[in-house]
Structures are given as C-alpha cells and as structure tokens.
Short mmCIF file of all heavy atoms in Angstrom, two decimals:
data_model
loop_
_atom_site.label_atom_id
_atom_site.label_comp_id
_atom_site.label_asym_id
_atom_site.label_seq_id
_atom_site.Cartn_x
_atom_site.Cartn_y
_atom_site.Cartn_z
N CYS A 87 -10.19 -12.15 6.18
CA CYS A 87 -10.44 -10.72 5.95
C CYS A 87 -9.77 -10.23 4.67
O CYS A 87 -10.36 -9.49 3.90
CB CYS A 87 -9.95 -9.90 7.13
SG CYS A 87 -10.91 -10.17 8.63
N ALA A 88 -8.53 -10.66 4.46
CA ALA A 88 -7.79 -10.24 3.27
C ALA A 88 -8.44 -10.78 2.00
O ALA A 88 -8.31 -10.18 0.93
CB ALA A 88 -6.34 -10.70 3.37
N ALA A 89 -9.16 -11.88 2.12
CA ALA A 89 -9.83 -12.46 0.96
C ALA A 89 -11.20 -11.85 0.69
O ALA A 89 -11.64 -11.79 -0.46
CB ALA A 89 -9.96 -13.97 1.14
N LEU A 90 -11.89 -11.40 1.72
CA LEU A 90 -13.29 -10.99 1.57
C LEU A 90 -13.55 -9.48 1.56
O LEU A 90 -14.69 -9.06 1.40
CB LEU A 90 -14.14 -11.61 2.67
CG LEU A 90 -14.41 -13.09 2.53
CD1 LEU A 90 -15.26 -13.58 3.69
CD2 LEU A 90 -15.12 -13.40 1.23
N TYR A 91 -12.53 -8.66 1.73
CA TYR A 91 -12.79 -7.23 1.90
C TYR A 91 -13.52 -6.60 0.73
O TYR A 91 -14.38 -5.75 0.92
CB TYR A 91 -11.50 -6.47 2.24
CG TYR A 91 -10.49 -6.33 1.14
CD1 TYR A 91 -10.41 -5.16 0.40
CD2 TYR A 91 -9.59 -7.35 0.85
CE1 TYR A 91 -9.46 -5.01 -0.59
CE2 TYR A 91 -8.64 -7.20 -0.12
CZ TYR A 91 -8.58 -6.04 -0.86
OH TYR A 91 -7.64 -5.88 -1.83
N ARG A 92 -13.23 -6.99 -0.48
CA ARG A 92 -13.94 -6.41 -1.64
C ARG A 92 -15.40 -6.86 -1.67
O ARG A 92 -16.27 -6.09 -2.04
CB ARG A 92 -13.22 -6.78 -2.92
CG ARG A 92 -11.91 -6.06 -3.06
CD ARG A 92 -11.25 -6.34 -4.38
NE ARG A 92 -9.98 -5.66 -4.43
CZ ARG A 92 -8.93 -6.12 -5.07
NH1 ARG A 92 -9.01 -7.25 -5.73
NH2 ARG A 92 -7.81 -5.45 -5.06
N TRP A 93 -15.64 -8.08 -1.27
CA TRP A 93 -17.02 -8.59 -1.24
C TRP A 93 -17.83 -7.79 -0.22
O TRP A 93 -18.95 -7.37 -0.51
CB TRP A 93 -17.01 -10.07 -0.86
CG TRP A 93 -18.36 -10.71 -0.87
CD1 TRP A 93 -19.00 -11.28 -1.92
CD2 TRP A 93 -19.25 -10.83 0.25
NE1 TRP A 93 -20.23 -11.75 -1.53
CE2 TRP A 93 -20.42 -11.49 -0.21
CE3 TRP A 93 -19.18 -10.44 1.58
CZ2 TRP A 93 -21.49 -11.76 0.63
CZ3 TRP A 93 -20.26 -10.71 2.41
CH2 TRP A 93 -21.39 -11.37 1.93
N TRP A 94 -17.27 -7.57 0.97
CA TRP A 94 -17.97 -6.79 2.00
C TRP A 94 -18.27 -5.38 1.48
O TRP A 94 -19.37 -4.87 1.69
CB TRP A 94 -17.14 -6.68 3.27
CG TRP A 94 -17.19 -7.87 4.18
CD1 TRP A 94 -18.30 -8.58 4.54
CD2 TRP A 94 -16.10 -8.46 4.87
NE1 TRP A 94 -17.95 -9.58 5.41
CE2 TRP A 94 -16.61 -9.53 5.63
CE3 TRP A 94 -14.74 -8.19 4.93
CZ2 TRP A 94 -15.81 -10.33 6.44
CZ3 TRP A 94 -13.93 -8.99 5.74
CH2 TRP A 94 -14.47 -10.04 6.48
N CYS A 95 -17.30 -4.74 0.83
CA CYS A 95 -17.49 -3.37 0.34
C CYS A 95 -18.54 -3.32 -0.76
O CYS A 95 -19.40 -2.43 -0.77
CB CYS A 95 -16.18 -2.79 -0.17
SG CYS A 95 -15.02 -2.43 1.16
N ALA A 96 -18.50 -4.27 -1.67
CA ALA A 96 -19.45 -4.29 -2.78
C ALA A 96 -20.89 -4.45 -2.29
O ALA A 96 -21.82 -3.99 -2.94
CB ALA A 96 -19.11 -5.41 -3.75
N ARG A 97 -21.05 -5.06 -1.14
CA ARG A 97 -22.38 -5.30 -0.60
C ARG A 97 -22.73 -4.33 0.54
O ARG A 97 -23.79 -4.44 1.15
CB ARG A 97 -22.50 -6.74 -0.14
CG ARG A 97 -22.69 -7.65 -1.34
CD ARG A 97 -22.16 -9.03 -1.13
NE ARG A 97 -22.26 -9.82 -2.34
CZ ARG A 97 -21.40 -9.77 -3.36
NH1 ARG A 97 -20.38 -8.95 -3.32
NH2 ARG A 97 -21.55 -10.54 -4.43
N GLY A 98 -21.83 -3.41 0.83
CA GLY A 98 -22.11 -2.41 1.86
C GLY A 98 -22.12 -2.97 3.27
O GLY A 98 -22.74 -2.39 4.17
N ARG A 99 -21.42 -4.04 3.51
CA ARG A 99 -21.42 -4.69 4.82
C ARG A 99 -20.21 -4.24 5.64
O ARG A 99 -19.38 -5.02 6.06
CB ARG A 99 -21.44 -6.19 4.62
CG ARG A 99 -22.71 -6.62 3.86
CD ARG A 99 -22.75 -8.08 3.64
NE ARG A 99 -23.10 -8.69 4.92
CZ ARG A 99 -23.92 -9.71 5.04
NH1 ARG A 99 -24.50 -10.23 3.98
NH2 ARG A 99 -24.17 -10.21 6.23
N PHE A 100 -20.16 -2.92 5.87
CA PHE A 100 -19.00 -2.32 6.52
C PHE A 100 -18.89 -2.68 7.98
O PHE A 100 -17.78 -2.91 8.48
CB PHE A 100 -19.04 -0.80 6.34
CG PHE A 100 -19.17 -0.39 4.91
CD1 PHE A 100 -20.27 0.34 4.48
CD2 PHE A 100 -18.22 -0.74 3.98
CE1 PHE A 100 -20.40 0.71 3.16
CE2 PHE A 100 -18.33 -0.37 2.65
CZ PHE A 100 -19.43 0.36 2.24
N ALA A 101 -19.98 -2.72 8.70
CA ALA A 101 -19.92 -3.07 10.13
C ALA A 101 -19.42 -4.50 10.32
O ALA A 101 -18.60 -4.77 11.20
CB ALA A 101 -21.29 -2.89 10.77
N GLU A 102 -19.89 -5.40 9.47
CA GLU A 102 -19.44 -6.79 9.53
C GLU A 102 -17.94 -6.89 9.23
O GLU A 102 -17.20 -7.60 9.92
CB GLU A 102 -20.23 -7.61 8.51
CG GLU A 102 -19.89 -9.08 8.46
CD GLU A 102 -20.73 -9.81 7.43
OE1 GLU A 102 -21.90 -9.43 7.18
OE2 GLU A 102 -20.20 -10.78 6.86
N ALA A 103 -17.49 -6.16 8.23
CA ALA A 103 -16.07 -6.17 7.86
C ALA A 103 -15.22 -5.57 8.98
O ALA A 103 -14.14 -6.10 9.30
CB ALA A 103 -15.87 -5.39 6.56
N GLU A 104 -15.69 -4.49 9.56
CA GLU A 104 -14.95 -3.84 10.65
C GLU A 104 -14.80 -4.80 11.84
O GLU A 104 -13.71 -4.93 12.41
CB GLU A 104 -15.68 -2.57 11.10
CG GLU A 104 -15.12 -1.92 12.34
CD GLU A 104 -13.69 -1.43 12.19
OE1 GLU A 104 -13.31 -1.00 11.09
OE2 GLU A 104 -12.95 -1.46 13.19
N LEU A 105 -15.87 -5.46 12.20
CA LEU A 105 -15.83 -6.40 13.32
C LEU A 105 -14.88 -7.56 13.02
O LEU A 105 -14.07 -7.93 13.88
CB LEU A 105 -17.24 -6.91 13.61
CG LEU A 105 -17.38 -7.89 14.77
CD1 LEU A 105 -16.95 -7.22 16.08
CD2 LEU A 105 -18.82 -8.37 14.87
N ALA A 106 -14.96 -8.11 11.83
CA ALA A 106 -14.09 -9.23 11.47
C ALA A 106 -12.62 -8.82 11.49
O ALA A 106 -11.78 -9.55 12.01
CB ALA A 106 -14.48 -9.77 10.09
N HIS A 107 -12.32 -7.66 10.93
CA HIS A 107 -10.94 -7.19 10.92
C HIS A 107 -10.44 -6.93 12.35
O HIS A 107 -9.33 -7.34 12.70
CB HIS A 107 -10.81 -5.92 10.08
CG HIS A 107 -10.71 -6.17 8.63
ND1 HIS A 107 -11.80 -6.24 7.82
CD2 HIS A 107 -9.64 -6.37 7.83
CE1 HIS A 107 -11.42 -6.47 6.58
NE2 HIS A 107 -10.10 -6.56 6.55
N SER A 108 -11.22 -6.25 13.13
CA SER A 108 -10.80 -5.93 14.50
C SER A 108 -10.53 -7.19 15.30
O SER A 108 -9.50 -7.30 15.97
CB SER A 108 -11.86 -5.09 15.20
OG SER A 108 -11.99 -3.85 14.56
N ARG A 109 -11.43 -8.14 15.22
CA ARG A 109 -11.26 -9.39 15.97
C ARG A 109 -10.07 -10.20 15.46
O ARG A 109 -9.32 -10.76 16.25
CB ARG A 109 -12.53 -10.22 15.91
CG ARG A 109 -13.63 -9.68 16.77
CD ARG A 109 -14.83 -10.59 16.76
NE ARG A 109 -15.85 -10.10 17.65
CZ ARG A 109 -17.05 -10.65 17.75
NH1 ARG A 109 -17.39 -11.69 17.00
NH2 ARG A 109 -17.93 -10.16 18.59
N SER A 110 -9.93 -10.25 14.16
CA SER A 110 -8.83 -11.03 13.58
C SER A 110 -7.47 -10.45 13.94
O SER A 110 -6.55 -11.18 14.32
CB SER A 110 -8.96 -11.10 12.06
OG SER A 110 -10.13 -11.77 11.70
N LEU A 111 -7.34 -9.14 13.80
CA LEU A 111 -6.06 -8.50 14.11
C LEU A 111 -5.73 -8.61 15.59
O LEU A 111 -4.57 -8.79 15.96
CB LEU A 111 -6.07 -7.05 13.64
CG LEU A 111 -5.96 -6.90 12.13
CD1 LEU A 111 -6.37 -5.49 11.69
CD2 LEU A 111 -4.55 -7.22 11.66
N GLU A 112 -6.73 -8.52 16.43
CA GLU A 112 -6.51 -8.66 17.87
C GLU A 112 -6.11 -10.09 18.22
O GLU A 112 -5.20 -10.31 19.03
CB GLU A 112 -7.78 -8.28 18.63
CG GLU A 112 -7.63 -8.33 20.12
CD GLU A 112 -8.91 -7.94 20.84
OE1 GLU A 112 -9.57 -6.97 20.43
OE2 GLU A 112 -9.25 -8.62 21.82
N ALA A 113 -6.76 -11.06 17.60
CA ALA A 113 -6.52 -12.46 17.92
C ALA A 113 -5.13 -12.94 17.48
O ALA A 113 -4.51 -13.75 18.17
CB ALA A 113 -7.59 -13.34 17.28
N CYS A 114 -4.64 -12.42 16.36
CA CYS A 114 -3.36 -12.94 15.87
C CYS A 114 -2.16 -12.25 16.50
O CYS A 114 -1.04 -12.73 16.35
CB CYS A 114 -3.29 -12.87 14.35
SG CYS A 114 -3.03 -11.26 13.64
N GLY A 115 -2.37 -11.17 17.22
CA GLY A 115 -1.26 -10.50 17.89
C GLY A 115 -0.18 -10.10 16.90
O GLY A 115 -0.46 -9.63 15.82
N ALA A 116 1.07 -10.33 17.28
CA ALA A 116 2.20 -9.93 16.44
C ALA A 116 2.67 -11.05 15.52
O ALA A 116 3.66 -10.89 14.82
CB ALA A 116 3.35 -9.47 17.32
N ARG A 117 1.97 -12.16 15.52
CA ARG A 117 2.36 -13.27 14.66
C ARG A 117 2.18 -12.91 13.20
O ARG A 117 1.29 -12.15 12.83
CB ARG A 117 1.52 -14.52 14.96
CG ARG A 117 1.76 -15.11 16.33
CD ARG A 117 0.87 -16.27 16.57
NE ARG A 117 -0.53 -15.80 16.46
CZ ARG A 117 -1.59 -16.48 16.80
NH1 ARG A 117 -1.45 -17.69 17.23
NH2 ARG A 117 -2.79 -15.99 16.70
N ASP A 118 2.98 -13.45 12.36
CA ASP A 118 2.90 -13.37 10.91
C ASP A 118 2.70 -11.94 10.40
O ASP A 118 1.61 -11.56 9.95
CB ASP A 118 1.78 -14.27 10.39
CG ASP A 118 1.91 -14.57 8.91
OD1 ASP A 118 2.77 -13.96 8.24
OD2 ASP A 118 1.15 -15.41 8.42
N PRO A 119 3.75 -11.12 10.44
CA PRO A 119 3.62 -9.73 10.01
C PRO A 119 3.20 -9.57 8.55
O PRO A 119 2.53 -8.60 8.21
CB PRO A 119 5.00 -9.12 10.26
CG PRO A 119 5.90 -10.23 10.64
CD PRO A 119 5.08 -11.43 10.94
N ALA A 120 3.53 -10.51 7.69
CA ALA A 120 3.11 -10.42 6.28
C ALA A 120 1.59 -10.51 6.17
O ALA A 120 0.96 -9.75 5.44
CB ALA A 120 3.77 -11.50 5.44
N LEU A 121 1.01 -11.43 6.91
CA LEU A 121 -0.45 -11.57 6.89
C LEU A 121 -1.11 -10.37 7.56
O LEU A 121 -2.13 -9.87 7.09
CB LEU A 121 -0.86 -12.88 7.57
CG LEU A 121 -2.35 -13.19 7.58
CD1 LEU A 121 -2.90 -13.22 6.15
CD2 LEU A 121 -2.60 -14.52 8.25
N ARG A 122 -0.53 -9.88 8.64
CA ARG A 122 -1.07 -8.68 9.31
C ARG A 122 -1.03 -7.48 8.37
O ARG A 122 -1.96 -6.68 8.36
CB ARG A 122 -0.29 -8.38 10.59
CG ARG A 122 -0.61 -9.33 11.73
CD ARG A 122 0.20 -9.02 12.98
NE ARG A 122 -0.01 -7.67 13.48
CZ ARG A 122 -1.06 -7.27 14.21
NH1 ARG A 122 -2.01 -8.12 14.50
NH2 ARG A 122 -1.14 -6.03 14.63
N ALA A 123 0.02 -7.37 7.57
CA ALA A 123 0.10 -6.26 6.60
C ALA A 123 -1.06 -6.34 5.61
O ALA A 123 -1.71 -5.33 5.32
CB ALA A 123 1.44 -6.31 5.86
N ARG A 124 -1.34 -7.53 5.11
CA ARG A 124 -2.46 -7.70 4.18
C ARG A 124 -3.80 -7.39 4.86
O ARG A 124 -4.68 -6.77 4.26
CB ARG A 124 -2.46 -9.11 3.60
CG ARG A 124 -1.29 -9.30 2.64
CD ARG A 124 -1.17 -10.66 1.98
NE ARG A 124 -2.36 -11.47 1.93
CZ ARG A 124 -2.39 -12.76 2.23
NH1 ARG A 124 -1.30 -13.40 2.60
NH2 ARG A 124 -3.51 -13.44 2.13
N ALA A 125 -3.93 -7.81 6.10
CA ALA A 125 -5.17 -7.53 6.84
C ALA A 125 -5.34 -6.04 7.11
O ALA A 125 -6.44 -5.50 6.98
CB ALA A 125 -5.21 -8.32 8.14
N PHE A 126 -4.26 -5.36 7.46
CA PHE A 126 -4.36 -3.91 7.67
C PHE A 126 -4.68 -3.19 6.36
O PHE A 126 -5.44 -2.22 6.36
CB PHE A 126 -3.08 -3.34 8.29
CG PHE A 126 -3.07 -3.38 9.79
CD1 PHE A 126 -2.19 -4.21 10.47
CD2 PHE A 126 -3.93 -2.58 10.53
CE1 PHE A 126 -2.18 -4.25 11.86
CE2 PHE A 126 -3.93 -2.61 11.92
CZ PHE A 126 -3.05 -3.45 12.58
N HIS A 127 -4.12 -3.67 5.26
CA HIS A 127 -4.46 -3.05 3.97
C HIS A 127 -5.95 -3.22 3.67
O HIS A 127 -6.64 -2.27 3.30
CB HIS A 127 -3.65 -3.66 2.82
CG HIS A 127 -4.27 -3.35 1.50
ND1 HIS A 127 -5.04 -4.26 0.83
CD2 HIS A 127 -4.29 -2.21 0.77
CE1 HIS A 127 -5.50 -3.68 -0.28
NE2 HIS A 127 -5.06 -2.45 -0.34
N SER A 128 -6.47 -4.43 3.85
CA SER A 128 -7.89 -4.64 3.57
C SER A 128 -8.77 -3.85 4.53
O SER A 128 -9.83 -3.35 4.15
CB SER A 128 -8.24 -6.13 3.58
OG SER A 128 -8.01 -6.72 4.83
N HIS A 129 -8.32 -3.69 5.77
CA HIS A 129 -9.05 -2.89 6.75
C HIS A 129 -9.09 -1.43 6.29
O HIS A 129 -10.12 -0.75 6.41
CB HIS A 129 -8.36 -3.02 8.10
CG HIS A 129 -9.25 -2.75 9.27
ND1 HIS A 129 -8.80 -2.86 10.56
CD2 HIS A 129 -10.54 -2.37 9.38
CE1 HIS A 129 -9.78 -2.56 11.40
NE2 HIS A 129 -10.83 -2.25 10.70
N ALA A 130 -7.97 -0.93 5.75
CA ALA A 130 -7.93 0.44 5.22
C ALA A 130 -8.88 0.60 4.05
O ALA A 130 -9.60 1.60 3.94
CB ALA A 130 -6.50 0.79 4.80
N TYR A 131 -8.92 -0.38 3.18
CA TYR A 131 -9.81 -0.35 2.02
C TYR A 131 -11.27 -0.27 2.45
O TYR A 131 -12.05 0.54 1.93
CB TYR A 131 -9.55 -1.61 1.19
CG TYR A 131 -10.24 -1.66 -0.15
CD1 TYR A 131 -9.57 -1.25 -1.30
CD2 TYR A 131 -11.53 -2.16 -0.29
CE1 TYR A 131 -10.17 -1.33 -2.54
CE2 TYR A 131 -12.14 -2.25 -1.52
CZ TYR A 131 -11.46 -1.83 -2.65
OH TYR A 131 -12.07 -1.91 -3.88
#
C-alpha cells in the first residue's frame, strides 16, 4: 500500500486502494509501527 498509493490515485482507483489499505492495516495488527505509520500516511493521501 505504501508503494502503490500514488499509482491508485493517479488512476482514480480509490475503492481498490481503500480496500487494500483497510485489509492490510487490519491484518498486520500492532506489528511494525514504522510500517503502519507509512500505511496510514498513504491511506490519508
């Protein structure tokens, strides 16, 4: 998600990006807060 968020936005694929972010953040739980921070930033974008 942190790698693809700009690609999703440039192509207007917001629903796909939302689903990927939601599932990824849910699946990783509290592990790796640095990666979660990047994922939350891309989700905000």
Side-chain angles (χ1 to χ4, degrees):
C87 292
L90 286 180
Y91 70 99
R92 290 184 182 148
W93 183 87
W94 280 316
C95 289
R97 283 151 185 81
R99 299 180 75 140
F100 306 118
E102 181 179 328
E104 172 63 33
L105 182 62
H107 279 90
S108 296
R109 285 184 176 174
S110 297
L111 286 164
E112 183 180 317
C114 75
R117 293 178 300 191
D118 198 352
L121 183 56
R122 286 179 59 80
R124 290 180 21 225
F126 272 112
H127 162 260
S128 62
H129 204 178
Y131 188 95

